[in-house]
Amino acid sequence: RNLSFSIRAGETTALTGPSGSGKTTILNMILDLNPPTQGMIAVDGRDLATIDRSSWLKLLSVSGQDVELMEGTVLDNIRFRRDIPDEDIRWAADVACATEFIEDLPYGFDEWLGDEAIRLSGGQRQRIGLARALASRPQILILDEATSALDEETEMRVFSAIKQDAGRTLIVVSHRPAVARLMKNQIDLRPPAAIAKLR
Ligand SMILES: Nc1ncnc2c1ncn2[C@@H]1O[C@H](COP(=O)(O)OP(=O)(O)OP(=O)(O)O)[C@@H](O)[C@H]1O
Ligand SMILES: [Mg+2]
């Protein structure tokens, strides 16, 4: 309610606030999954509701806390049935700090992932998900707790690699203040009274 903010194109923005404050709900509205009940979301001043959905979604990539792996190789899992050249997959795996553990798997990028296959850790799955989101080289990258299972050192390396690929709009939800501080802008969903109390 009564929330208004801008996310600037080509800049990095953190969306922070306590559990249940509406971060994922806002991302879902940006992803055009549910419309706001009041007010509107505008893209370059134009109501998102009037913009062609598929051309809008082509600009976006999203990764979250839980990553569903599909039956297939590591390469298949990053490509995710899209027409993406191998070199872009490798680049995305590098940026996501995934190459370092993939190359340690017995079959590397050809390792089979699935029910009967090698069990990846939570942080490894998240890095596959991140590489999947990066591989299409999206204009707008949305990360909702997408690195929550990583250790702090790896998480920082991931974000510095993502930020090096400049020009992209990055929207990051994270409960870790160190991650939020890496972003140029911060949108805090706590009510103003709660923020005032902390000062
Ligand atoms: N249209 C709606 N009307 C009323 N309540 C809603 C509506 N949409 C979402 N909510 C509620 O708002 C809350 C916001 O949840 P949301 O998942 O966005 O929080 P979050 O900030 O992402 O939390 P977390 O940090 O735990 O992921 C939830 O309790 C949800 O049920
Ligand atoms: Mg959430």
Side-chain angles (χ1 to χ4, degrees):
R1 280 205 188 105
N2 302 322
L3 182 66
S4 179
F5 61 84
S6 308
I7 293 172
R8 298 178 68 88
E11 293 187 359
T12 59
T13 300
L15 192 56
T16 58
S19 179
S21 59
K23 303 179 295 294
T24 299
T25 305
I26 287 170
L27 297 182
N28 286 340
M29 288 194 279
I30 293 171
L31 290 164
D32 210 6
L33 291 172
N34 50 349
T37 47
Q38 281 178 43
M40 74 160 179
I41 295 182
V43 181
D44 290 338
R46 208 175 129 194
D47 188 345
L48 182 58
T50 70
I51 293 172
D52 174 59
R53 189 154 190 272
S54 69
S55 54
W56 169 240
L57 292 182
K58 262 186 214 140
L59 305 177
L60 307 169
S61 246
V62 61
S63 192
Q65 193 159 19
D66 301 313
V67 176
E68 291 280 336
L69 295 177
M70 53 183 248
E71 206 57 50
T73 64
V74 171
L75 211 61
D76 296 337
N77 266 280
I78 298 176
R79 180 173 285 122
F80 211 51
R81 301 190 191 90
R82 295 163 299 178
D83 185 19
I84 296 174
D86 280 9
E87 60 186 82
D88 285 11
I89 306 273
R90 302 267 177 170
W91 167 82
D94 280 350
V95 174
C97 294
T99 307
E100 55 200 57
F101 80 80
I102 294 169
E103 284 181 342
D104 277 344
L105 298 170
Y107 295 94
F109 279 87
D110 296 322
E111 185 74 43
W112 192 264
L113 303 177
D115 286 345
E116 304 284 304
I118 277 189
R119 303 277 305 167
L120 295 182
S121 74
Q124 290 172 335
R125 292 168 77 102
Q126 286 190 340
R127 282 181 279 172
I128 298 280
L130 197 55
R132 187 185 281 169
L134 281 159
S136 61
R137 295 183 179 266
Q139 248 180 63
I140 303 171
L141 179 62
I142 297 176
L143 303 179
D144 189 357
E145 291 284 343
T147 52
S148 60
L150 298 186
D151 60 276
E152 214 173 302
E153 193 261 343
T154 309
E155 187 175 44
M156 290 298 138
R157 281 196 291 124
V158 165
F159 279 110
S160 58
I162 291 176
K163 282 173 70 182
Q164 259 175 34
D165 197 45
R168 167 174 301 122
T169 306
L170 178 63
I171 306 170
V172 174
V173 167
S174 176
H175 286 296
R176 292 194 194 159
V179 172
R181 277 198 299 271
L182 287 177
M183 306 303 142
K184 182 166 187 226
N185 312 298
Q186 189 169 348
I187 296 158
D188 193 331
L189 295 183
R190 281 174 300 183
I195 297 174
K197 222 188 252 175
L198 291 170
R199 289 202 174 118

